Amino acid sequence: MTVRPVRPEEYDALAALTVSAYQALLGPDLDRGYVAELADVAGRAAVVDVLVAVDDEGRLEGGIAYIPGPGPLAWFDGRDEAGMRMLAVAPAVQSRGVGARLIAACVERAKAAGKASLLLHTTAPMVVAHRLYERAGFRRDPDRDQVLEGGLLLLAYVLHLDGRVGDTRPGGGIG
Ligand SMILES: CC(C)(COP(=O)(O)OP(=O)(O)OC[C@H]1O[C@@H](n2cnc3c(N)ncnc32)[C@H](O)[C@@H]1OP(=O)(O)O)[C@@H](O)C(=O)NCCC(=O)NCCS
């Protein structure tokens, strides 16, 4: 498996893969507006780094958006921070380590760019993702949680890359 930037001819396939992964998990709870956002691979590839995992035959297995700094798609404004969004692995190839590889690729990018931390937001049902984030060293940072219009709680996870320790307070676990 290889992780590399998405190619324009893969935009449609990555859009379908991303929507199908989120739909498989969330079903009818998946907001229609968010489906359109998940499917807009061209839009995000124009402003951030969209990475894909492909198998040895070039078949798309998953994708993630690496947000290199403040600006479009960023939930942060610190210049020493980077972010990750829209992690998705095709349901047919889940549980083979693809998700972990995509996360690792973003961590590598953030380290190479000299970032102090890597931030992401997730939601309560995404428990498989939470385990992956925890295993990669991310810790909950409730102070950076967000509540969307309509009340959806976005849980913040942060990976500190500058040697600081993350939030290990009791109750700082998955909410
Ligand atoms: C979250 C998601 C990306 C994980 O992708 P994935 O490729 O299945 O992730 P991994 O294979 O790296 O890890 C998933 C599990 O498989 C296990 N696994 C990994 N490689 C394995 C292998 N070779 N054999 C057996 N199990 C393995 C991992 O340990 C992990 O187990 P756990 O759930 O008990 O912790 C995927 O489930 C998904 O697309 N979900 C819907 C969208 C979503 O929730 N996105 C997160 C947004 S915040």
Side-chain angles (χ1 to χ4, degrees):
M1 180 212 314
T2 306
V3 176
R4 57 157 171 77
V6 68
R7 296 173 181 158
E9 62 270 24
E10 295 167 331
Y11 289 174
D12 289 349
L14 182 59
L17 182 160
T18 305
V19 171
S20 75
Y22 277 68
Q23 247 156 10
L25 178 71
L26 301 173
D29 290 341
L30 187 56
D31 178 82
R32 218 185 278 176
Y34 195 49
V35 168
E37 204 179 323
L38 289 170
D40 185 16
V41 175
R44 57 183 175 273
V47 291
V48 299
D49 301 341
V50 177
L51 306 177
V52 288
V54 292
D55 71 10
D56 294 345
E57 271 126 54
R59 282 183 299 246
L60 212 55
E61 297 195 315
I64 195 165
Y66 171 76
I67 321 292
L73 294 176
W75 286 92
F76 54 88
D77 48 23
R79 292 167 61 85
D80 59 350
E81 290 188 289
M84 280 177 6
R85 291 191 60 184
M86 294 163 188
L87 168 64
V89 171
V93 297
Q94 288 179 2
S95 296
R96 296 182 193 170
V98 177
R101 286 283 298 274
L102 287 164
I103 293 167
C106 290
V107 173
E108 279 164 28
R109 284 188 171 230
K111 280 184 181 167
K115 297 290 176 174
S117 59
L118 187 53
L119 173 74
L120 66 90
H121 288 86
T122 179
T123 59
M126 296 175 162
V127 290
V128 174
H130 300 172
R131 283 196 292 271
L132 287 180
Y133 299 142
E134 297 262 355
R135 218 174 285 141
F138 287 79
R139 294 293 176 259
R140 281 279 288 124
D141 188 347
D143 291 343
R144 304 192 72 177
D145 287 355
Q146 304 261 352
V147 182
L148 293 186
E149 230 177 286
L152 181 65
L153 174 63
L154 300 183
L155 306 166
Y157 278 79
V158 177
L159 175 66
H160 293 291
L161 300 167
D162 56 0
R164 279 187 294 146
V165 180
D167 178 13
T168 52
R169 283 176 284 166
I174 297 160

